[in-house]
Amino acid sequence: MEGRRSQDTTRHSPRHHRSAGPQGTQLFRADELRAQTEQAAPTGNRRASVAEPILEGTSPGIEGHRFPLRAGRQTLGRRADNDIVLDDASVSSSHAWILNQQGQHVIMNMLSTNGTFVNDERVHEASLKHGDRVKLGQAEFVFLTREAGDRRVGVRHWLVGALLLAGIVLAFTLIRG
């Protein structure tokens, strides 16, 4: 066992050697862990939904990358400790927050140098809806709550349809009666 341990430590240079916790658990820095999870979970396969909206990159360098938005607060910026890290010089180190407030997503500018824009309008805070264009510096996204071509009919559509049908039936009965 002792010979094996010395072999393991000689294979790793000091800068790659990780601290080990109880029972040999490896400890990672936040930026190392983020890099590992980004490599393990491809961003292109996530589907947008009301429950888990997506910010999809549209500008060069992030085009097609999908960033799922979870419940709570997510930070966006250039610094490695952000939830969504954008490697773009026009993006501030701590550029913006996206808050999920009871299913409503709100973007908040965090005193960034180049501003936060929703549909080409500079904002400090704005509610996001499906199809909104979001721009942080030169990094551009589209906010998606459903996939293109997804024609699911919502409750509101059913109610409008039912009311229209009831109105037609009532009109028809009044005309005949």
Side-chain angles (χ1 to χ4, degrees):
M1 180 73 167
E2 188 68 303
R4 185 172 167 200
R5 178 172 282 156
S6 64
Q7 280 181 332
D8 287 344
T9 55
T10 57
R11 281 190 294 166
H12 300 290
S13 65
R15 66 184 186 98
H16 292 313
H17 183 69
R18 298 197 193 299
S19 300
Q23 301 174 352
T25 305
Q26 288 189 352
L27 305 176
F28 291 88
R29 292 190 328 256
D31 59 330
E32 291 175 322
L33 189 56
R34 181 171 284 114
Q36 291 291 324
T37 56
E38 285 174 358
Q39 289 173 0
T43 57
N45 295 338
R46 298 272 175 100
R47 290 190 52 80
S49 70
V50 173
E52 188 177 71
I54 299 280
L55 270 184
E56 184 174 44
T58 59
S59 58
I62 57 170
E63 190 171 16
H65 280 65
R66 292 180 150 218
F67 303 93
L69 301 174
R70 62 178 175 358
R73 180 188 79 174
Q74 286 184 273
T75 58
L76 297 90
R78 203 175 60 244
R79 209 172 50 219
D81 64 342
N82 284 292
D83 297 306
I84 297 175
V85 177
L86 302 169
D87 187 22
D88 184 321
S90 69
V91 175
S92 294
S93 59
S94 180
H95 199 104
W97 289 357
I98 293 185
L99 305 166
N100 179 351
Q101 298 175 332
Q102 300 166 348
Q104 177 68 39
H105 285 79
V106 176
I107 190 162
M108 295 178 67
N109 185 50
M110 299 309 297
L111 302 174
S112 65
T113 304
N114 292 320
T116 299
F117 296 79
V118 175
N119 299 325
D120 297 323
E121 183 179 325
R122 189 178 192 126
V123 299
H124 171 69
E125 181 177 316
S127 292
L128 297 175
K129 60 186 180 309
H130 177 76
D132 279 347
R133 294 180 328 273
V134 176
K135 188 174 175 184
L136 310 174
Q138 295 301 311
E140 296 182 33
F141 304 88
V142 64
F143 178 75
L144 300 173
T145 58
R146 62 182 179 272
E147 294 299 321
D150 192 355
R151 300 200 177 266
R152 291 184 204 154
V153 178
V155 173
R156 193 176 305 166
H157 290 98
W158 281 106
L159 288 173
V160 169
L163 287 173
L164 284 172
L165 183 59
I168 292 170
V169 169
L170 180 62
F172 186 71
T173 356
L174 290 174
I175 292 172
R176 290 193 78 198

